[in-house]
Amino acid sequence: MKSLVEHARAFRYRADFASDEYRKLAEGQFPEALFITCSDSRVIPALITGARPGEIFELRNAGNIVPPHGMHLVSGEAATIEYALEVLGVRDIVVCGHSHCGAMGALESGADLSTLPGVSAWLELARPGLAPEITGGCEDPSLRGLAQLNVRNQLSALTDYPAARRRLEEGRLRLHGWYYQVDTGELWELDRDGRFREHPC
């Protein structure tokens, strides 16, 4: 923690706050995309995308889950999606899953989450859609198939949000599915045919 605090205190000296870039940030934010991904500490959206401050609006939670629209009266996820679309006017939403995901691993293994009731209830939102891929004996530690199916499912859940559905119908919104391999840096993208592929740079 000491190193983190020291870097935070010194940030203003490392960054060029006299530049126009940071002055403009005080005037408001105009992100290009909403980036929905896992809260896993190994997945850092700005590092992966090279985004500068103000370029992406982030939504992070265990398992990059988009809860069904209308399921909860109060939801940070629903509020973030609504704000990104209705106020910030983002034209792209990325749902990014990743390898070696603890949330996907817990679902795959059927882990006992009785001491983690909040985690258990949250992951139940994803379980039904992942049931065809859950075998309880996956030989791939990266859980690629499960994580990629989860991305597809969350993209589908997004289309039930009125603000997203309306913009999709009007051609004002694009949805993107990504899968990030944490140990190699590989990025797989969901193609129109529903398959994930690693595209060359």
Side-chain angles (χ1 to χ4, degrees):
M1 188 64 197
K2 181 181 178 183
S3 175
L4 296 177
V5 172
E6 288 174 351
H7 277 83
R9 289 172 177 165
F11 177 63
R12 63 179 177 155
Y13 302 109
R14 297 194 314 272
D16 182 11
F17 279 93
S19 72
D20 285 343
E21 177 183 11
Y22 285 95
R23 275 199 213 96
K24 288 178 181 176
L25 291 178
E27 298 170 5
Q29 58 172 324
F30 307 95
E32 297 176 21
L34 168 62
F35 199 94
I36 302 174
T37 194
C38 189
S39 49
D40 192 297
S41 62
R42 299 165 294 180
V43 181
I44 306 172
L47 186 63
I48 295 169
T49 63
R52 299 289 299 158
E55 290 184 342
I56 55 175
F57 198 59
E58 295 182 26
L59 169 56
R60 302 184 67 172
N61 62 48
N64 43 272
I65 294 170
V66 176
H69 179 262
M71 184 171 184
H72 302 290
L73 293 178
V74 179
S75 163
E77 287 75 19
T80 300
I81 292 166
E82 184 178 277
Y83 189 83
L85 292 170
E86 299 283 21
V87 178
L88 299 177
V90 300
R91 299 186 64 90
D92 292 273
I93 299 179
V94 176
V95 176
C96 181
H98 68 97
S99 69
H100 306 88
C101 178
M104 296 300 103
L107 288 168
E108 170 60 30
S109 66
D112 179 6
L113 299 175
S114 57
T115 60
L116 301 169
V119 174
S120 180
W122 178 251
L123 294 185
E124 283 304 312
L125 296 177
R127 186 186 299 277
L130 296 175
E133 189 74 25
I134 295 175
T135 63
C138 182
E139 297 180 1
D140 178 7
S142 73
L143 300 168
R144 180 185 299 169
L146 195 63
Q148 290 181 353
L149 176 57
N150 186 52
V151 168
R152 291 188 193 94
N153 291 346
Q154 305 320 312
L155 288 170
S156 178
L158 274 171
T159 64
D160 288 332
Y161 282 69
R165 184 172 59 247
R166 185 172 66 253
R167 283 166 173 74
L168 285 166
E169 291 171 351
E170 296 170 353
R172 295 192 291 134
L173 178 65
R174 295 177 295 267
L175 301 181
H176 311 270
W178 290 5
Y179 167 82
Y180 173 67
Q181 186 80 21
V182 298
D183 54 332
T184 66
E186 296 170 5
L187 182 68
W188 297 61
E189 299 172 63
L190 185 62
D191 280 344
R192 292 182 181 180
D193 63 5
R195 296 186 179 187
F196 279 86
R197 292 183 174 85
E198 184 187 10
H199 290 275
C201 295

